[in-house]
C-alpha cells in the first residue's frame, strides 16, 4: 500500500480492472463521481479538497482487492455524515448493500450525549454491531482510520494523542484479530510516533545505525539457505523481514529491555509452494543451525484464530546471534498480510466461496457481539467488555478431546465452561486441569487440558461468579440465568435499590417515578416496561445509581435553579446594607467600589501580571478570574463583569496558588529533578501528583505558591531545561 503517494481515481480504476469486470469498474467510478459532487465545497484540515480522503480510503480497499460494493462504500463513507445526502438517496443511486455499509460507518452525529466519551462509545457500539452483521463495515473503517493516521500531522497535538490512543486501543487490535497485518503494523507505528515521539525516533535512529551490518548478515543467511533448498529441488522465495517499530517498543517496555537486548531484530521469511515443503525447509534450517529451546511454534498445524498460518523458529545463526525464521506457503503469506480480506468470497470469482462455511465458523466471535449488545444497556460498559474479550492477550487451552479453545488472558475454568455451552457453565461444580482438581478461580495457562465437572442437581451460578469470570460471554450468560430464574425476586430487589438511590439524592421516589420519567428511561436503555427495568437492576445488568440519576435529572435541575434564585435575592438584600471595607488578601481593587468582598477564583488561579476581570457571583461578592478563563466567557457571564485591577505596590510577601502540568518521558528520577528544579527557585510546593501511561509518557501535576507572572516564568523556564521534559503548561481546575 502506498503511504506517501496520493492515489488518483485513475490509479484505482487501473488496479480494480485487474480483478473486476468493466461493469464493476463503472460502478465504482459512479460512486467516485457521486462522492465528488457531494463533497464539492468541502476541504480537509490540510487545506486539500475533501474528496482526496474518500479516494485514498477506496485506494486502500482496492489494494486489499475488495468487492465493488465495499470500494463504493469507501468513496461514500462520509457522505451521509458530512453532507445533505441521505441513506435513501444512496440506496436509490446504488443499492441496499452499499447503503447498509455506509450506514455502518456513519457516526451518530445528531444525538446528544452527556460527554464526548459516551458519544464515542455509542459510535463504536454502532460500528461493531454493524460489523457483526457484515464484516466489510470494519474493513472500510480500518481503511478510513489508516488514511486519517497518515494525515494526522495537520491536527493539533491534543487530537493527535487522542486519535492515536484510540487507534492503539481499538483499531490496531481489531486489524490483528482480522489478520490484516499490513494495516495493523502501520497503524501501530504511526500511533507510536505521536504518543511517544522521543522513543519512536530513538528506535528509528538505532535501526538505521546497524542497518548495513544487519542487511549483510541476512544476505549471508539467505544465500546459505538458498543453496541448501536447491539441493533438494525446493522452489523458495527468501526475504529479510523488517521488524516493526511498535513491536520493538512493546518488547522494550514489557520486558524492560534495552534495544541491543532484543534478539529477534534479525529475521528471514521463506515462501514455498506446499505445506510439505514448509516442513522440509524447517528440517534444513535446524540442520544448518542449532534451534533455541522453546522458540519453535507450529501455526500450520494449529492456526491462530485470525486465520494466520506459518512455522516460526529461532536458531543460533552463523555469527552466534539469534535469528528468527518464518516459513509458509505463498497462500499463507497472502492471508498473513491481508487476513480476512484474502478470504473474501468475491475473490473466488463467485458469490459463494467453497470454504465460506469454515471461514464463517472461524469468525463466530464476531457474532457474539450482537448477543453482548442486547444484554448491555450502557455503551461505555459494552466497549469495556469488548476490549477485554477481543483485544486482550489470549490464552489457548484444550478440551479433553484435543480441541483448541481461545480465551482472554486471566480466564478461569468457568469462562471455559460457558465458552463450550451455556448449560455446561450453569451446571459447573468443579474442574480438572491437566487431570488434577483445581478451584474455579484458577487462572488458565497456555496448553492446559480442562475437564469441566457438572451436576444435574446443581442450583446454578452464584452471584460471586460475576466477580471472578473474565469474559463478557460468561458474565452475560450468568446474568441471563438470574434474569430468567429469579425475575420476581430481581424486580423487588431492583425497585428497592432504585428507591434507595433516589432517597440518597434527597428526593422522594413518588416525585420522580412518573410515567413521563419512566418512559424516558425505557427509551434510553431499551427497556420494554417498568418490570424489565427493575429486573435489570436486580440481576446487576445496570446500576441503580444510573437509573436514579436519569429519573431525577429534571427535578435536580429545577431545584438548582430555585437555589440560585434564592441566593440572588439574598445577595440583593445584603448589598443594600453598608459593608465594611475589606482588607482582603486578594491584592485586587474593584474600580469605584470599596465595600465588596473580593476573592480570587480557584478555577484559574489568577496572579499579579495576569489580565483579570471581576465577576459578580450569587451571594459571594466579586470573584476575580483570568481574562481568558473559559468559565466566564458565556453571554450570561459577561453581563456580570466588573472592572478590576491589581493593587499597586504588590509586596513580595503575598503568594498565589498556580497549577502546572509537566509532561515528559517516564524515566527514573524525572519527578525528583522537577521538584529539585522548583526548590532551586525558592518556591513553595503545596501539592504534587504524578502518573504515567503504558506509552511511557509521564504527567506531573504540581501546585506552587508564587508572587507574580515574572516569578512563574522563571520557574517554567527552569523546568523546561530538564532532560526528557516535553511541555510545561498552566492548567485550570
Amino acid at each position: 500500500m502506498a503511504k506517501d503517494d496520493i492515489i488518483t481515481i485513475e490509479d484505482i480504476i487501473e488496479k480494480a480492472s485487474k480483478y473486476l469486470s468493466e461493469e464493476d469498474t463503472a460502478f465504482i467510478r459512479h460512486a467516485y463521481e457521486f462522492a465528488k459532487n457531494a463533497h464539492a465545497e468541502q476541504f480537509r484540515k490540510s487545506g486539500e479538497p475533501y474528496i482526496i480522503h474518500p479516494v485514498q480510503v477506496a485506494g486502500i480497499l482496492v489494494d486489499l482487492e475488495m468487492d465493488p460494493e465495499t470500494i463504493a462504500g469507501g468513496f461514500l463513507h462520509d457522505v451521509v455524515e458530512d453532507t445533505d445526502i441521505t441513506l435513501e438517496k444512496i440506496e436509490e443511486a446504488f443499492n441496499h448493500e452499499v447503503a447498509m455499509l455506509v450506514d455502518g460507518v456513519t457516526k451518530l452525529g445528531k444525538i446528544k450525549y452527556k460527554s464526548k466519551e459516551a458519544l464515542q462509545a455509542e459510535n463504536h457500539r454502532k460500528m461493531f454491531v454493524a460489523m457483526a452483521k457484515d464484516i466489510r463495515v470494519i474493513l472500510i473503517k480500518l481503511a478510513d482510520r489508516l488514511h486519517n493516521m497518515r494525515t494526522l500531522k495537520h491536527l493539533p497535538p491534543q487530537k493527535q494523542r487522542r486519535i492515536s490512543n484510540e487507534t492503539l486501543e481499538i483499531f490496531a487490535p481489531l486489524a490483528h484479530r482480522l489478520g490484516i497485518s499490513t494495516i495493523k503494523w502501520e497503524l501501530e507505528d504511526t500511533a507510536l510516533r505521536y504518543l511517544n515521539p522521543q522513543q519512536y525516533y530513538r528506535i528509528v535512529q538505532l535501526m538505521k545505525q546497524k542497518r548495513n551490518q544487519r542487511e549483510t548478515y541476512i544476505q549471508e543467511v539467505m544465500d546459505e539457505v538458498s543453496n541448501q533448498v536447491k539441493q533438494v529441488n525446493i522452489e523458495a522465495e527468501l526475504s529479510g523481514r523488517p521488524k516493526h517499530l511498535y513491536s520493538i517498543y512493546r518488547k522494550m517496555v514489557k520486558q524492560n529491555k534495552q534495544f541491543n537486548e532484543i534478539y529477534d531484530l534479525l529475521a528471514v521469511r521463506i515462501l514455498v509452494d506446499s505445506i510439505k515443503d514448509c516442513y522440509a525447509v524447517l528440517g534444513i534450517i535446524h540442520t544448518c543451525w542449532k534451534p533455541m529451546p522453546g522458540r519453535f511454534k507450529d501455526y500450520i498445524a494449529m492456526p491462530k484464530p485470525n486465520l494466520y498460518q506459518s512455522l516460526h523458529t529461532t536458531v543460533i545463526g552463523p555469527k552466534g546471534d539469534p535469528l528468527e525464521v518464518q516459513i509458509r506457503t505463498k497462500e499463507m503469506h497472502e492471508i498473513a498480510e491481508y487476513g480476512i480480506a484474502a478470504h473474501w468470497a468475491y475473490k473466488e470469482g463467485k458469490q459463494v466461496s467453497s470454504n465460506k462455511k469454515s471461514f464463517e465458523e472461524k469468525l463466530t466471535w464476531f457474532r457474539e457481539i450482537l448477543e453482548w449488545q442486547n444484554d448491555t444497556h450502557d455503551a461505555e460498559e459494552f466497549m469495556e467488555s469488548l476490549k477485554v474479550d477481543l483485544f486482550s492477550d489470549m490464552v489457548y487451552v484444550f478440551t479433553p478431546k484435543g480441541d483448541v479453545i481461545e480465551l482472554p488472558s486471566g480466564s478461569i475454568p468457568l469462562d471455559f465452561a460457558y465458552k463450550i455451552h451455556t448449560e455446561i457453565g450453569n451446571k459447573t461444580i468443579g474442574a480438572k486441569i491437566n487431570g488434577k482438581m483445581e478451584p474455579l478461580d484458577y487462572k488458565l495457562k497456555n496448553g492446559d487440558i480442562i475437564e469441566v465437572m457438572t451436576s444435574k442437581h446443581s442450583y446454578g451460578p452464584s452471584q460471586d461468579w460475576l466477580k471472578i469470570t473474565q469474559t463478557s460471554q460468561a458474565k452475560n450468560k450468568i446474568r441471563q440465568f438470574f434474569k430468567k430464574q429469579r425475575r420476581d425476586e430481581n424486580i423487588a430487589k431492583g425497585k428497592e435499590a432504585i428507591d434507595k438511590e433516589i432517597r440518597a439524592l434527597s428526593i422522594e421516589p413518588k416525585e420522580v417515578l412518573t410515567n413521563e420519567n419512566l418512559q424516558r428511561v425505557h427509551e434510553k436503555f431499551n427497556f420494554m416496561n417498568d418490570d424489565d427495568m427493575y429486573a435489570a437492576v436486580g440481576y446487576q445488568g445496570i446500576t441503580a445509581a444510573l437509573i436514579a440519576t436519569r429519573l431525577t435529572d429534571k427535578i435536580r435541575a429545577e431545584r438548582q435553579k430555585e437555589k440560585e434564585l434564592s441566593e440572588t435575592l439574598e445577595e440583593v438584600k445584603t448589598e443594600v446594607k453598608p459593608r465594611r471595607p475589606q482588607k482582603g488578601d486578594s491584592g485586587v481593587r474593584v474600580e469605584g467600589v470599596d465595600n465588596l468582598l473580593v476573592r480570587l477564583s480557584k478555577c484559574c488561579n489568577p496572579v499579579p501580571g495576569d489580565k483579570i476581570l471581576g465577576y459578580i457571583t450569587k451571594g459571594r461578592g466579586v470573584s476575580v478570574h483570568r481574562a481568558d478563563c473559559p468559565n466566564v466567557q458565556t453571554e450570561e457571564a459577561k453581563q456580570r463583569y466588573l472592572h478590576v485591577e491589581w493593587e499597586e505596590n504588590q509586596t513580595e510577601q503575598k503568594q498565589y496558588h498556580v497549577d502546572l502540568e509537566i509532561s515528559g518521558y517516564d524515566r527514573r528520577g524525572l519527578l525528583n529533578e522537577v521538584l529539585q528544579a522548583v526548590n532551586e527557585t525558592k518556591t513553595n510546593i503545596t501539592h504534587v501528583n504524578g502518573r504515567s501511561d503504558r506509552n511511557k509518557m509521564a504527567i506531573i501535576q504540581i501546585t506552587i505558591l508564587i508572587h507574580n507572572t515574572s516569578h512563574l516564568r522563571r520557574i517554567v523556564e527552569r523546568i523546561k531545561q530538564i532532560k526528557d521534559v516535553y511541555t510545561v503548561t498552566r492548567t485550570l481546575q
Side-chain angles (χ1 to χ4, degrees), residues 242-256:
K243 193 71 178 176
H244 296 279
L245 302 177
Y246 184 73
S247 67
I248 296 171
Y249 169 74
R250 274 194 70 186
K251 285 193 175 179
M252 290 171 67
V253 173
K254 290 183 76 174
Q255 300 175 15
N256 197 24

Side-chain angles (χ1 to χ4, degrees), residues 380-543:
E380 291 172 87
E381 181 189 340
F382 169 75
M383 283 308 301
E384 286 306 312
S385 298
L386 198 66
K387 286 178 189 177
V388 170
D389 273 23
L390 299 190
F391 309 143
S392 61
D393 291 332
M394 309 307 287
V395 61
Y396 301 93
V397 295
F398 293 92
T399 68
K401 291 183 178 179
D403 295 327
V404 181
I405 301 294
E406 178 198 41
L407 293 164
S409 183
S411 293
I412 63 174
L414 285 170
D415 294 301
F416 173 88
Y418 279 105
K419 182 82 173 181
I420 301 299
H421 197 277
T422 304
E423 279 308 302
I424 291 177
N426 288 341
K427 297 295 183 182
T428 296
I429 58 171
K432 281 185 181 179
I433 313 295
N434 305 320
K436 180 185 173 185
M437 287 297 297
E438 296 286 359
L440 289 177
D441 61 355
Y442 167 90
K443 295 285 190 295
L444 299 177
K445 302 180 185 67
N446 279 322
D448 281 345
I449 301 171
I450 307 166
E451 182 182 352
V452 177
M453 317 297 290
T454 61
S455 170
K456 60 183 179 183
H457 302 298
S458 166
Y459 290 107
S462 158
Q463 285 281 359
D464 292 336
W465 288 10
L466 287 169
K467 299 174 185 175
I468 61 174
T469 48
Q470 293 294 307
T471 63
S472 299
Q473 183 182 26
K475 291 182 187 296
N476 282 325
K477 296 295 184 186
I478 295 165
R479 290 192 185 109
Q480 283 178 13
F481 175 86
F482 292 122
K483 181 179 176 181
K484 291 175 183 175
Q485 299 295 321
R486 305 176 184 173
R487 182 171 172 81
D488 291 343
E489 182 183 331
N490 284 328
I491 290 171
K493 192 189 298 183
K495 189 172 191 327
E496 182 182 343
I498 290 173
D499 285 356
K500 183 178 177 182
E501 289 290 343
I502 292 171
R503 288 195 177 94
L505 297 169
S506 302
I507 298 172
E508 279 299 310
K510 64 181 181 181
E511 291 184 68
V512 293
L513 292 175
T514 62
N515 289 335
E516 181 189 351
N517 268 350
L518 289 168
Q519 189 59 38
R520 282 194 306 116
V521 172
H522 296 167
E523 290 172 2
K524 166 66 180 172
F525 299 109
N526 300 319
F527 294 124
M528 295 297 292
N529 50 48
D530 294 355
D531 284 351
D532 281 355
M533 178 185 74
Y534 292 132
V537 173
Y539 67 77
Q540 300 179 23
I542 192 169
T543 64

Side-chain angles (χ1 to χ4, degrees), residues 148-161:
N148 283 337
M149 291 300 290
R150 288 175 181 174
T151 56
L152 211 54
K153 62 186 176 184
H154 301 293
L155 297 181
Q158 187 178 0
K159 275 195 173 182
Q160 289 174 347
R161 289 183 58 79

